[in-house]
Amino acid sequence: MSILSITFHTVESQLQTWEQYLENELMSLVENFIDVEKYILSEVNTEMLTEGKNTNLLLIFESDEKRQEFTETELYNLSEIIARKFGENVMIFKTELNEKKSRF
């Protein structure tokens, strides 16, 4: 198992447009990611954030290789799509989570 966390930070002025994009387009893209076994889409609540909003997409892959392939193709494409639509108003932060220990 291999996990990728993608956080989307949206500035305050774009929140309504981001929410519409999230519901109408992003979820459709996520559903069509072939190598993703499971995902969790979450709103991030934190006391540290005073402007805008963070949304997190946690993706679970079968292997590190599948995660790497996804990062090089699908994530790159997704980043380009979001950049064209939102410019610098939505920032994307990628975090690779490397399992040390787990219990399911």
Side-chain angles (χ1 to χ4, degrees), residues 17-87:
T17 306
W18 173 252
E19 289 296 329
Q20 291 172 346
Y21 177 78
L22 190 67
E23 291 295 321
N24 299 326
E25 297 178 47
L26 183 63
M27 288 313 307
S28 178
L29 291 171
V30 171
E31 287 290 333
N32 289 313
F33 290 152
I34 295 170
D35 288 331
V36 175
E37 289 190 9
K38 297 179 183 180
Y39 70 86
I40 300 171
L41 182 67
S42 306
E43 289 184 4
V44 177
N45 293 325
T46 177
E47 294 175 5
M48 300 304 291
L49 184 63
T50 58
E51 288 186 14
K53 178 181 178 182
N54 285 347
T55 306
N56 185 267
L57 180 60
L58 193 68
L59 304 173
I60 301 172
F61 300 88
E62 177 182 305
S63 66
D64 290 344
E65 293 77 24
K66 295 285 187 188
R67 179 178 70 182
Q68 184 64 33
E69 289 172 17
F70 175 88
T71 300
E72 293 171 356
T73 57
E74 299 293 345
L75 181 57
Y76 176 80
N77 293 336
L78 178 61
S79 297
E80 290 293 313
I81 291 167
I82 291 174
R84 279 195 302 274
K85 184 159 184 72
F86 293 97

Coordinates of all heavy atoms in Angstrom, one line a residue, residues 17-87:
T17 N -16.5 29.4 -6.1 CA -16.1 28.8 -7.3 C -15.4 27.4 -7.1 O -15.6 26.5 -7.8 CB -15.2 29.7 -8.1 OG1 -15.8 31.0 -8.2 CG2 -14.8 29.2 -9.5
W18 N -14.5 27.3 -6.1 CA -13.8 26.1 -5.8 C -14.8 25.0 -5.4 O -14.7 23.9 -5.8 CB -12.8 26.3 -4.7 CG -12.2 25.0 -4.2 CD1 -12.4 24.4 -3.0 CD2 -11.3 24.1 -4.9 NE1 -11.7 23.2 -2.9 CE2 -11.0 23.0 -4.1 CE3 -10.7 24.2 -6.2 CZ2 -10.2 22.0 -4.5 CZ3 -9.9 23.2 -6.6 CH2 -9.6 22.1 -5.7
E19 N -15.8 25.3 -4.5 CA -16.8 24.4 -4.1 C -17.6 23.8 -5.3 O -17.9 22.6 -5.4 CB -17.8 25.0 -3.1 CG -17.2 25.2 -1.7 CD -16.7 24.0 -1.0 OE1 -17.3 22.9 -1.2 OE2 -15.7 24.0 -0.3
Q20 N -17.9 24.7 -6.2 CA -18.6 24.2 -7.4 C -17.7 23.3 -8.3 O -18.2 22.3 -8.8 CB -19.1 25.4 -8.3 CG -20.2 26.2 -7.6 CD -20.5 27.5 -8.4 OE1 -19.7 28.0 -9.2 NE2 -21.6 28.1 -8.0
Y21 N -16.5 23.7 -8.4 CA -15.5 22.9 -9.2 C -15.3 21.5 -8.5 O -15.3 20.5 -9.2 CB -14.2 23.6 -9.3 CG -13.1 22.8 -10.0 CD1 -13.1 22.7 -11.4 CD2 -12.2 22.1 -9.3 CE1 -12.2 21.9 -12.0 CE2 -11.2 21.3 -9.9 CZ -11.3 21.2 -11.3 OH -10.3 20.4 -11.9
L22 N -15.2 21.5 -7.2 CA -15.1 20.3 -6.4 C -16.2 19.3 -6.7 O -16.0 18.2 -7.0 CB -15.0 20.7 -4.9 CG -14.6 19.6 -3.9 CD1 -13.2 19.2 -4.1 CD2 -14.8 20.2 -2.5
E23 N -17.4 19.8 -6.6 CA -18.6 19.0 -6.8 C -18.8 18.6 -8.2 O -19.2 17.4 -8.5 CB -19.9 19.7 -6.3 CG -19.9 19.9 -4.8 CD -20.0 18.6 -4.0 OE1 -20.7 17.7 -4.5 OE2 -19.4 18.5 -3.0
N24 N -18.6 19.5 -9.2 CA -19.0 19.2 -10.6 C -17.9 18.6 -11.4 O -18.2 17.9 -12.4 CB -19.5 20.5 -11.2 CG -20.7 21.1 -10.5 OD1 -21.5 20.3 -10.1 ND2 -20.8 22.4 -10.5
E25 N -16.6 18.9 -11.1 CA -15.5 18.5 -12.0 C -14.5 17.6 -11.3 O -14.1 16.5 -11.8 CB -14.9 19.7 -12.6 CG -15.8 20.4 -13.5 CD -15.2 21.7 -14.1 OE1 -14.1 21.5 -14.7 OE2 -15.8 22.7 -14.1
L26 N -14.0 18.1 -10.1 CA -12.9 17.3 -9.5 C -13.3 15.9 -9.1 O -12.6 15.0 -9.3 CB -12.4 18.1 -8.3 CG -11.2 17.4 -7.5 CD1 -10.0 17.3 -8.4 CD2 -10.9 18.1 -6.3
M27 N -14.5 15.8 -8.6 CA -15.0 14.4 -8.1 C -15.1 13.5 -9.3 O -14.8 12.3 -9.2 CB -16.3 14.5 -7.4 CG -16.1 15.1 -6.0 SD -14.7 14.4 -5.0 CE -15.0 12.7 -5.1
S28 N -15.5 14.0 -10.5 CA -15.5 13.2 -11.7 C -14.1 12.7 -12.1 O -14.0 11.6 -12.5 CB -16.2 14.0 -12.8 OG -16.2 13.2 -14.0
L29 N -13.2 13.6 -12.0 CA -11.8 13.2 -12.3 C -11.3 12.2 -11.4 O -10.7 11.2 -11.8 CB -10.9 14.5 -12.3 CG -11.1 15.5 -13.4 CD1 -10.2 16.8 -13.0 CD2 -10.7 15.0 -14.7
V30 N -11.5 12.4 -10.1 CA -11.1 11.4 -9.1 C -11.7 10.0 -9.3 O -11.0 9.0 -9.2 CB -11.4 11.9 -7.6 CG1 -11.1 10.9 -6.6 CG2 -10.6 13.2 -7.3
E31 N -12.9 10.0 -9.6 CA -13.6 8.7 -9.8 C -13.0 8.0 -11.0 O -13.1 6.7 -11.1 CB -15.1 8.9 -10.1 CG -15.9 9.3 -8.8 CD -16.0 8.1 -7.8 OE1 -16.0 7.0 -8.3 OE2 -16.1 8.4 -6.6
N32 N -12.4 8.7 -11.9 CA -11.8 8.0 -13.1 C -10.3 7.7 -13.0 O -9.7 7.2 -14.0 CB -12.1 8.9 -14.3 CG -13.5 8.9 -14.7 OD1 -14.1 7.8 -14.8 ND2 -14.1 10.0 -14.9
F33 N -9.7 8.1 -11.9 CA -8.3 7.7 -11.7 C -8.2 6.2 -11.6 O -8.6 5.6 -10.7 CB -7.7 8.3 -10.4 CG -7.5 9.8 -10.5 CD1 -7.6 10.5 -9.3 CD2 -7.3 10.5 -11.7 CE1 -7.4 11.9 -9.3 CE2 -7.1 11.9 -11.7 CZ -7.2 12.6 -10.5
I34 N -7.5 5.6 -12.6 CA -7.4 4.1 -12.7 C -6.6 3.5 -11.6 O -7.1 2.5 -11.1 CB -6.9 3.7 -14.1 CG1 -7.8 4.2 -15.2 CG2 -6.6 2.3 -14.2 CD1 -7.3 4.1 -16.6
D35 N -5.5 4.0 -11.3 CA -4.6 3.3 -10.3 C -5.0 3.6 -8.9 O -4.4 3.0 -8.0 CB -3.1 3.8 -10.6 CG -2.6 3.2 -11.8 OD1 -3.0 2.1 -12.2 OD2 -1.7 3.8 -12.4
V36 N -5.9 4.4 -8.6 CA -6.3 4.7 -7.2 C -7.3 3.6 -6.7 O -8.3 3.4 -7.3 CB -7.0 6.1 -7.1 CG1 -7.5 6.4 -5.7 CG2 -6.0 7.2 -7.5
E37 N -6.9 3.0 -5.7 CA -7.7 1.9 -5.1 C -8.8 2.5 -4.2 O -10.0 2.1 -4.3 CB -6.9 0.9 -4.3 CG -6.0 0.1 -5.1 CD -5.3 -1.0 -4.3 OE1 -5.7 -1.2 -3.1 OE2 -4.5 -1.7 -4.8
K38 N -8.5 3.5 -3.4 CA -9.4 4.1 -2.5 C -9.0 5.6 -2.4 O -7.9 5.9 -2.6 CB -9.4 3.4 -1.1 CG -9.8 2.0 -1.1 CD -9.7 1.4 0.3 CE -10.1 -0.1 0.2 NZ -10.0 -0.7 1.5
Y39 N -10.0 6.4 -2.0 CA -9.7 7.8 -1.7 C -10.6 8.3 -0.6 O -11.7 7.8 -0.4 CB -9.8 8.6 -3.0 CG -11.2 8.8 -3.5 CD1 -12.0 9.9 -2.9 CD2 -11.8 8.0 -4.4 CE1 -13.3 10.0 -3.4 CE2 -13.1 8.2 -4.9 CZ -13.8 9.2 -4.3 OH -15.1 9.4 -4.8
I40 N -10.2 9.4 0.0 CA -10.9 10.1 1.0 C -10.8 11.6 0.6 O -9.7 12.1 0.6 CB -10.5 9.9 2.4 CG1 -10.6 8.4 2.8 CG2 -11.3 10.7 3.4 CD1 -9.9 8.1 4.1
L41 N -11.9 12.3 0.4 CA -11.9 13.7 0.2 C -12.4 14.4 1.5 O -13.5 14.0 2.0 CB -12.8 14.1 -1.0 CG -12.8 15.5 -1.3 CD1 -11.5 16.0 -1.9 CD2 -13.9 15.8 -2.4
S42 N -11.6 15.3 2.0 CA -12.0 15.9 3.3 C -11.8 17.4 3.3 O -10.9 18.0 2.6 CB -11.0 15.4 4.4 OG -11.0 14.0 4.4
E43 N -12.7 18.1 4.1 CA -12.4 19.5 4.4 C -11.5 19.5 5.5 O -11.6 18.7 6.5 CB -13.7 20.2 4.8 CG -14.7 20.4 3.6 CD -15.9 21.2 4.0 OE1 -16.0 21.6 5.2 OE2 -16.8 21.3 3.1
V44 N -10.5 20.4 5.5 CA -9.5 20.4 6.6 C -9.9 21.6 7.6 O -10.0 22.7 7.1 CB -8.1 20.7 6.0 CG1 -7.1 20.8 7.1 CG2 -7.7 19.6 5.1
N45 N -10.1 21.2 8.8 CA -10.3 22.2 9.9 C -9.0 22.4 10.7 O -8.5 21.4 11.2 CB -11.4 21.8 10.8 CG -12.8 21.7 10.1 OD1 -13.0 22.5 9.2 ND2 -13.6 20.8 10.4
T46 N -8.6 23.6 10.8 CA -7.4 23.9 11.5 C -7.4 25.3 12.1 O -8.0 26.2 11.5 CB -6.1 23.7 10.7 OG1 -5.0 24.1 11.5 CG2 -6.1 24.6 9.4
E47 N -6.9 25.4 13.3 CA -6.8 26.8 13.9 C -5.7 27.6 13.3 O -5.7 28.8 13.4 CB -6.6 26.6 15.4 CG -7.7 25.9 16.1 CD -7.4 25.7 17.6 OE1 -6.3 26.1 18.1 OE2 -8.2 25.0 18.3
M48 N -4.8 27.0 12.6 CA -3.7 27.7 12.0 C -4.1 28.5 10.7 O -3.4 29.4 10.3 CB -2.5 26.8 11.7 CG -2.0 26.0 12.9 SD -1.5 27.1 14.2 CE 0.0 27.8 13.5
L49 N -5.2 28.1 10.1 CA -5.6 28.8 8.9 C -6.6 29.8 9.2 O -7.7 29.6 9.7 CB -6.2 27.7 7.9 CG -6.6 28.1 6.6 CD1 -5.4 28.6 5.8 CD2 -7.3 27.0 5.8
T50 N -6.3 31.1 8.8 CA -7.2 32.2 9.1 C -7.8 32.8 7.8 O -8.8 33.5 7.9 CB -6.5 33.3 9.8 OG1 -5.4 33.8 9.0 CG2 -6.0 32.9 11.2
E51 N -7.2 32.4 6.7 CA -7.8 32.9 5.4 C -7.9 31.7 4.4 O -7.1 30.8 4.4 CB -6.8 33.9 4.7 CG -6.8 35.2 5.4 CD -6.0 36.2 4.6 OE1 -5.6 35.9 3.4 OE2 -5.7 37.3 5.2
G52 N -9.0 31.7 3.7 CA -9.2 30.6 2.7 C -9.6 29.3 3.4 O -10.1 29.3 4.5
K53 N -9.4 28.3 2.6 CA -9.8 26.9 3.1 C -8.9 25.9 2.5 O -8.4 26.0 1.3 CB -11.2 26.7 2.6 CG -11.8 25.4 2.9 CD -13.2 25.3 2.4 CE -13.9 24.0 2.7 NZ -15.2 23.9 2.1
N54 N -8.7 24.8 3.2 CA -7.9 23.6 2.7 C -8.9 22.5 2.5 O -9.7 22.2 3.3 CB -6.8 23.2 3.6 CG -5.6 24.1 3.6 OD1 -5.5 25.0 2.7 ND2 -4.8 24.0 4.6
T55 N -8.7 21.8 1.4 CA -9.4 20.6 1.0 C -8.3 19.5 0.8 O -7.3 19.8 0.2 CB -10.2 20.7 -0.2 OG1 -11.1 21.8 -0.1 CG2 -11.0 19.5 -0.5
N56 N -8.5 18.3 1.4 CA -7.5 17.3 1.2 C -8.0 16.1 0.5 O -9.2 15.7 0.7 CB -7.0 16.8 2.6 CG -5.8 15.8 2.5 OD1 -6.1 14.6 2.5 ND2 -4.6 16.3 2.3
L57 N -7.2 15.5 -0.4 CA -7.6 14.3 -1.1 C -6.5 13.3 -0.8 O -5.3 13.5 -1.1 CB -7.6 14.6 -2.6 CG -7.9 13.4 -3.5 CD1 -9.3 12.9 -3.2 CD2 -7.8 13.9 -5.0
L58 N -6.9 12.3 -0.1 CA -6.0 11.2 0.3 C -6.2 10.0 -0.6 O -7.3 9.5 -0.8 CB -6.3 10.7 1.8 CG -5.3 9.8 2.4 CD1 -4.0 10.6 2.7 CD2 -5.9 9.3 3.7
L59 N -5.2 9.6 -1.4 CA -5.3 8.6 -2.4 C -4.5 7.4 -1.9 O -3.3 7.5 -1.5 CB -4.7 9.1 -3.7 CG -5.4 10.4 -4.3 CD1 -4.6 10.8 -5.5 CD2 -6.8 10.1 -4.6
I60 N -5.0 6.2 -2.1 CA -4.4 5.0 -1.7 C -4.1 4.1 -3.0 O -5.0 3.9 -3.8 CB -5.2 4.2 -0.7 CG1 -5.4 5.0 0.6 CG2 -4.5 2.9 -0.3 CD1 -6.4 4.5 1.6
F61 N -2.9 3.7 -3.1 CA -2.4 2.9 -4.2 C -1.9 1.6 -3.8 O -1.5 1.4 -2.7 CB -1.2 3.7 -4.9 CG -1.6 5.0 -5.4 CD1 -1.5 6.1 -4.6 CD2 -2.1 5.2 -6.7 CE1 -1.8 7.4 -5.1 CE2 -2.4 6.5 -7.2 CZ -2.3 7.6 -6.3
E62 N -1.9 0.7 -4.7 CA -1.4 -0.7 -4.5 C 0.1 -0.7 -4.2 O 0.5 -1.5 -3.4 CB -1.7 -1.5 -5.8 CG -1.2 -3.0 -5.7 CD -1.5 -3.7 -7.0 OE1 -2.6 -3.7 -7.4 OE2 -0.5 -4.2 -7.6
S63 N 0.9 0.2 -4.8 CA 2.3 0.1 -4.6 C 2.9 1.5 -4.8 O 2.3 2.5 -5.3 CB 2.9 -0.8 -5.7 OG 2.8 -0.3 -7.0
D64 N 4.2 1.7 -4.4 CA 4.9 2.9 -4.6 C 5.0 3.3 -6.1 O 5.0 4.4 -6.4 CB 6.3 2.9 -3.9 CG 6.3 2.8 -2.4 OD1 5.2 3.2 -1.8 OD2 7.3 2.5 -1.8
E65 N 5.2 2.2 -6.9 CA 5.3 2.4 -8.3 C 4.1 3.0 -8.9 O 4.1 4.0 -9.7 CB 5.6 1.1 -9.0 CG 7.0 0.5 -8.7 CD 7.1 -0.2 -7.3 OE1 6.0 -0.6 -6.8 OE2 8.2 -0.2 -6.8
K66 N 2.9 2.6 -8.5 CA 1.6 3.1 -9.0 C 1.5 4.5 -8.5 O 1.0 5.4 -9.3 CB 0.4 2.3 -8.5 CG 0.4 0.9 -9.0 CD 0.0 0.8 -10.4 CE -0.2 -0.6 -10.9 NZ -0.5 -0.7 -12.3
R67 N 1.9 4.8 -7.3 CA 1.8 6.2 -6.8 C 2.7 7.1 -7.6 O 2.3 8.2 -8.0 CB 2.2 6.2 -5.3 CG 2.2 7.6 -4.7 CD 2.5 7.7 -3.3 NE 3.9 7.4 -3.0 CZ 4.5 7.3 -1.8 NH1 3.7 7.5 -0.7 NH2 5.8 7.0 -1.7
Q68 N 3.9 6.6 -7.9 CA 4.9 7.4 -8.7 C 4.3 7.7 -10.1 O 4.4 8.8 -10.6 CB 6.2 6.7 -8.7 CG 7.3 7.5 -9.5 CD 7.6 8.8 -8.8 OE1 7.5 8.9 -7.5 NE2 7.9 9.8 -9.5
E69 N 3.8 6.7 -10.7 CA 3.2 6.8 -12.0 C 2.1 7.9 -12.0 O 2.0 8.7 -12.9 CB 2.6 5.5 -12.6 CG 3.7 4.5 -12.9 CD 3.1 3.1 -13.2 OE1 1.9 3.0 -13.5 OE2 3.9 2.1 -13.2
F70 N 1.2 7.8 -11.0 CA 0.1 8.7 -10.8 C 0.7 10.1 -10.7 O 0.2 11.1 -11.3 CB -0.7 8.4 -9.6 CG -1.8 9.4 -9.3 CD1 -3.0 9.3 -9.9 CD2 -1.6 10.4 -8.5 CE1 -4.0 10.2 -9.7 CE2 -2.5 11.4 -8.2 CZ -3.8 11.2 -8.8
T71 N 1.7 10.3 -9.8 CA 2.2 11.6 -9.6 C 2.8 12.2 -10.9 O 2.6 13.4 -11.1 CB 3.4 11.5 -8.5 OG1 2.8 11.0 -7.3 CG2 4.0 12.9 -8.2
E72 N 3.4 11.4 -11.7 CA 4.1 11.9 -12.9 C 3.1 12.2 -14.0 O 3.4 13.0 -14.9 CB 5.1 10.9 -13.4 CG 6.3 10.8 -12.5 CD 7.2 9.7 -12.8 OE1 6.9 8.9 -13.8 OE2 8.3 9.5 -12.2
T73 N 1.9 11.6 -14.0 CA 0.9 11.8 -15.1 C -0.3 12.5 -14.6 O -0.6 13.6 -14.9 CB 0.6 10.5 -15.8 OG1 0.1 9.5 -14.8 CG2 1.8 9.9 -16.5
E74 N -1.1 11.8 -13.9 CA -2.4 12.3 -13.5 C -2.3 13.5 -12.6 O -3.1 14.5 -12.8 CB -3.3 11.2 -12.7 CG -3.6 10.0 -13.6 CD -4.5 10.2 -14.7 OE1 -5.1 11.3 -14.8 OE2 -4.6 9.4 -15.6
L75 N -1.5 13.5 -11.6 CA -1.3 14.7 -10.7 C -0.8 15.9 -11.5 O -1.3 17.0 -11.3 CB -0.4 14.4 -9.5 CG -0.3 15.6 -8.6 CD1 -1.6 16.0 -8.0 CD2 0.6 15.2 -7.4
Y76 N 0.1 15.6 -12.4 CA 0.6 16.7 -13.3 C -0.5 17.3 -14.1 O -0.7 18.5 -14.1 CB 1.7 16.2 -14.2 CG 2.2 17.2 -15.2 CD1 3.1 18.2 -14.8 CD2 1.7 17.3 -16.5 CE1 3.6 19.2 -15.6 CE2 2.2 18.2 -17.4 CZ 3.1 19.2 -16.9 OH 3.5 20.2 -17.8
N77 N -1.3 16.4 -14.7 CA -2.5 16.9 -15.5 C -3.5 17.7 -14.7 O -4.0 18.7 -15.1 CB -3.2 15.7 -16.2 CG -2.3 15.1 -17.3 OD1 -1.4 15.7 -17.8 ND2 -2.5 13.8 -17.6
L78 N -3.8 17.1 -13.5 CA -4.8 17.8 -12.6 C -4.2 19.1 -12.2 O -5.0 20.1 -12.2 CB -5.0 16.9 -11.4 CG -5.9 17.4 -10.3 CD1 -7.3 17.7 -10.9 CD2 -6.0 16.5 -9.1
S79 N -3.0 19.2 -11.9 CA -2.4 20.5 -11.5 C -2.5 21.5 -12.6 O -2.8 22.7 -12.4 CB -0.9 20.3 -11.1 OG -0.8 19.5 -10.0
E80 N -2.3 21.1 -13.8 CA -2.4 22.0 -15.0 C -3.8 22.5 -15.2 O -4.1 23.7 -15.5 CB -1.9 21.3 -16.3 CG -0.4 21.0 -16.3 CD 0.4 22.3 -16.4 OE1 0.0 23.2 -17.2 OE2 1.3 22.5 -15.6
I81 N -4.8 21.6 -15.0 CA -6.2 21.9 -15.2 C -6.6 23.0 -14.1 O -7.2 24.0 -14.4 CB -7.1 20.7 -15.0 CG1 -6.9 19.8 -16.3 CG2 -8.6 21.1 -14.9 CD1 -7.5 18.4 -16.1
I82 N -6.2 22.7 -12.9 CA -6.5 23.7 -11.8 C -5.8 25.0 -12.0 O -6.4 26.1 -11.7 CB -6.2 23.0 -10.4 CG1 -7.3 21.9 -10.2 CG2 -6.3 24.1 -9.3 CD1 -7.0 21.1 -9.0
A83 N -4.6 25.0 -12.4 CA -3.8 26.2 -12.7 C -4.5 27.1 -13.7 O -4.6 28.3 -13.6 CB -2.4 25.9 -13.0
R84 N -5.0 26.4 -14.8 CA -5.7 27.2 -15.9 C -7.0 27.8 -15.4 O -7.3 28.9 -15.7 CB -6.0 26.2 -17.1 CG -4.8 26.0 -18.0 CD -5.2 25.4 -19.3 NE -5.9 24.2 -19.2 CZ -5.3 23.0 -19.1 NH1 -4.0 22.9 -19.1 NH2 -6.0 21.9 -19.1
K85 N -7.7 27.1 -14.5 CA -9.0 27.6 -14.0 C -8.8 28.6 -12.9 O -9.6 29.6 -12.9 CB -9.8 26.4 -13.6 CG -11.2 26.8 -13.1 CD -12.2 25.7 -13.1 CE -13.6 26.1 -12.8 NZ -14.2 26.8 -13.8
F86 N -7.9 28.4 -12.0 CA -7.8 29.2 -10.8 C -6.5 30.0 -10.6 O -6.4 30.8 -9.7 CB -7.9 28.3 -9.5 CG -9.3 27.7 -9.4 CD1 -9.5 26.4 -9.8 CD2 -10.3 28.4 -8.8 CE1 -10.8 25.8 -9.6 CE2 -11.6 27.8 -8.6 CZ -11.8 26.5 -9.1
G87 N -5.5 29.7 -11.5 CA -4.3 30.5 -11.4 C -3.6 30.2 -10.0 O -3.6 29.1 -9.5

